[in-house]
Amino acid sequence: MGNLAEYLMEELECETVFKIPIRIPQIAAYADGIPVHESIVVTWIIMAVLILVSIILTRNLKVDHISKRQAVAELIVTKLTGMVEGMIGENGKAYVPWLTTVLLYIGVANAIGLFGMKAPTKDLNVTVALAAMSIILVEAAGIYQLGVKRWLHKFLEPVAVVLPINILELVTRPLSLCMRLFGNVLGAFVIMELIKFVVPVILPAVLCCYFDIFDGLLQAYVFVFLTSMYISEMLEVEEA
Amino acid sequence: MLSVDPFNLICTVVNLLILFVALRIFLFKPVQKIIAERQAQADAQLNEAAARQKEAESLKAQYSSSMAKAEEEKKQLLNTARKDADEQYQKIVEEAKAQAKQIEERAVADAQNQKNRILKNTEKEIADMVVAAAEKMVGTQSGAKIDRSLYDEFLGKAGEEQ
């Protein structure tokens, strides 16, 4: 069993693909050059694929007599943006492209295990970055839509007593977003490794479909859903 | 595994922002633009169709109103023609009646004149015959002239009494 634990730890470790040869002796981690994690490289691959696919799909667009390629592009864009719009509501239309990008990225990142790569979302850095950007977007949306004064006043709503809880939410919301995603992907990964260790054939293929595709896409959806819910919550006050 | 590395964190943020901008440029913008264009085209076509229908309806109304007008005109023309014809007919009939009456009167007068003349002639002839007969009987010419005047007088009186 010692072998398994060692193997698991090794698999869970975020590998450093290469190091940028800039030595910063003041910081211990960067003393030997700046490490670039596998998740970053895989993210680059995902970005390249997504951008390439979208360029190919949106080439030579026409208003009528559209090609199948264009039909696919339109279907993807309208379905995804429609889904996000349904979550965030009419007011938050400006945030739909960002949320759709996040949805696409997390969805592809979670499913990339199918292609033998490690999901970037298994790296805490990625989920922390995603969650931080989400909460910044939520608060920025609040400041932009409500103005600083009303945004600050929102911490006192619905009653002044909840102020500490509202401030705490600034931390707990991104923390929960980040840890939910990270935990799910990590948990799925660990279970998959264990199953592969015990039953090496057939069963992993079946469960891989569940963990990589279903759970992966579900987590992408949940992440975007919660973010858009926070944003629409922020914007709703304006109407009242 | 659970360590957070600032460089990789920032890398991810930058990656996501680049991905966002790239997808916006290469996926969302063009597709949404084309969909908006299609929407605009469809709207334009619908508007055009509505305008055409309106035009067609107005033309139809115009047509039917002009048809009604024509019908009215036709009726009016027929009426006036009928009235005119009627008047003409009445006039002609009256004229004919008047003429007939005139002819009749003239005929009656002619007949009266003829009758009078025939009567006069007959009287004269009878008188002559009587005179001739009397002359023959009397045999004298001078006495006969007196007798003739006497007969004339007698016959004139007889005519008055009649």
Side-chain angles (χ1 to χ4, degrees):
Chain A
M1 280 315 259
N3 259 353
L4 174 63
E6 222 168 83
Y7 168 74
L8 263 179
M9 283 313 290
E10 195 185 304
E11 281 293 306
L12 290 175
E13 200 64 45
C14 284
E15 279 175 42
T16 300
V17 180
F18 63 91
K19 288 192 173 182
I20 298 170
I22 301 170
R23 291 189 172 77
I24 306 169
Q26 288 86 351
I27 307 165
Y30 299 159
D32 200 21
I34 301 170
V36 176
H37 289 178
E38 194 182 3
S39 59
I40 301 297
V41 178
V42 175
T43 300
W44 289 340
I45 294 169
I46 292 169
M47 283 165 66
V49 169
L50 281 178
I51 293 168
L52 212 69
V53 166
S54 52
I55 287 173
I56 290 168
L57 284 180
T58 58
R59 220 180 37 196
N60 192 16
L61 293 178
K62 279 176 278 181
V63 172
D64 43 21
H65 300 104
I66 61 169
S67 57
K68 274 182 190 165
R69 201 159 34 75
Q70 187 181 343
V72 170
E74 282 181 16
L75 186 78
I76 291 172
V77 171
T78 50
K79 284 287 166 204
L80 286 182
T81 54
M83 194 166 87
V84 175
E85 258 178 55
M87 292 190 267
I88 199 166
E90 197 68 22
N91 288 339
K93 265 197 165 158
Y95 310 100
V96 169
W98 166 255
L99 292 170
T100 314
T101 305
V102 171
L103 184 71
L104 267 172
Y105 172 67
I106 301 178
V108 175
N110 286 348
I112 206 154
L114 293 173
F115 300 98
M117 285 180 245
K118 274 192 203 167
T121 37
K122 195 168 66 61
D123 186 347
L124 193 60
N125 290 307
V126 172
T127 59
V128 167
L130 280 167
M133 289 173 94
S134 275
I135 198 68
I136 288 169
L137 182 69
V138 169
E139 299 309 325
I143 293 170
Y144 178 72
Q145 299 279 341
L146 306 175
V148 178
K149 221 174 143 189
R150 289 190 56 195
W151 172 71
L152 285 173
H153 189 261
K154 222 184 149 325
F155 284 101
L156 299 174
E157 286 166 8
V159 278
V161 189
V162 296
L163 176 67
I165 297 171
N166 276 337
I167 291 172
L168 206 62
E169 266 192 345
L170 276 180
V171 180
T172 55
R173 276 179 173 180
L175 191 68
S176 72
L177 276 178
C178 146
M179 285 308 171
R180 178 183 303 109
L181 184 56
F182 175 70
N184 265 284
V185 177
L186 189 74
F189 183 79
V190 170
I191 292 174
M192 280 308 296
E193 289 301 325
L194 285 174
I195 288 169
K196 271 188 221 164
F197 190 81
V198 179
V199 187
V201 286
I202 299 174
L203 193 62
V206 177
L207 288 172
C208 178
C209 284
Y210 173 78
F211 285 120
D212 278 349
I213 298 174
F214 177 72
D215 192 41
L217 297 182
L218 188 72
Q219 287 312 314
Y221 178 83
V222 166
F223 190 96
V224 171
F225 174 74
L226 286 173
T227 307
S228 55
M229 203 183 74
Y230 296 153
I231 293 174
S232 62
E233 218 170 71
M234 211 38 127
L235 304 184
E236 249 171 33
V237 184
E238 201 184 19
E239 287 173 2
Chain B
M1 170 181 76
L2 276 170
S3 63
V4 172
D5 181 76
F7 175 75
N8 284 285
L9 201 80
I10 290 161
C11 257
T12 305
V13 170
V14 172
N15 280 345
L16 281 169
L17 288 176
I18 290 169
L19 182 65
F20 168 59
V21 172
L23 284 185
R24 228 177 124 84
I25 292 169
F26 294 118
L27 187 66
F28 299 133
K29 279 257 172 82
V31 171
Q32 269 153 7
K33 194 177 143 225
I34 214 83
I35 288 172
E37 262 174 42
R38 187 174 306 141
Q39 184 71 43
Q41 201 175 12
D43 283 350
Q45 274 169 358
L46 277 177
N47 283 345
E48 200 187 310
R52 287 234 173 114
Q53 188 166 2
K54 222 173 172 182
E55 200 185 305
E57 263 161 25
S58 85
L59 269 177
K60 195 185 155 196
Q62 210 177 320
Y63 166 77
S64 59
S65 90
S66 71
M67 276 301 279
K69 222 186 198 168
E71 191 74 22
E72 190 70 24
E73 234 165 274
K74 188 181 117 191
K75 223 183 251 175
Q76 217 168 345
L77 272 175
L78 262 173
N79 274 348
T80 42
R82 202 169 285 154
K83 223 163 101 187
D84 279 1
D86 213 34
E87 272 170 19
Q88 201 88 11
Y89 167 76
Q90 290 293 340
K91 214 167 114 191
I92 287 169
V93 166
E94 262 159 39
E95 262 177 22
K97 268 187 190 162
Q99 227 162 351
K101 210 172 169 189
Q102 222 176 347
I103 287 168
E104 197 193 342
E105 275 169 5
R106 206 185 295 155
V108 168
D110 276 0
Q112 197 68 44
N113 283 348
Q114 204 122 7
K115 187 183 147 200
N116 286 347
R117 214 173 57 221
I118 289 168
L119 268 174
K120 233 173 214 170
N121 280 353
T122 317
E123 274 169 21
K124 214 169 115 192
E125 265 172 44
I126 290 170
D128 282 347
M129 272 158 67
V130 170
V131 169
E135 268 178 6
K136 266 181 192 167
M137 282 199 305
V138 176
T140 56
Q141 201 72 29
S142 57
K145 268 184 186 168
I146 302 157
D147 291 338
R148 189 187 164 109
S149 69
L150 278 173
Y151 271 103
D152 277 342
E153 202 177 336
F154 164 72
L155 279 172
K157 273 181 187 166
E160 274 165 26
E161 276 170 16
Q162 258 182 353

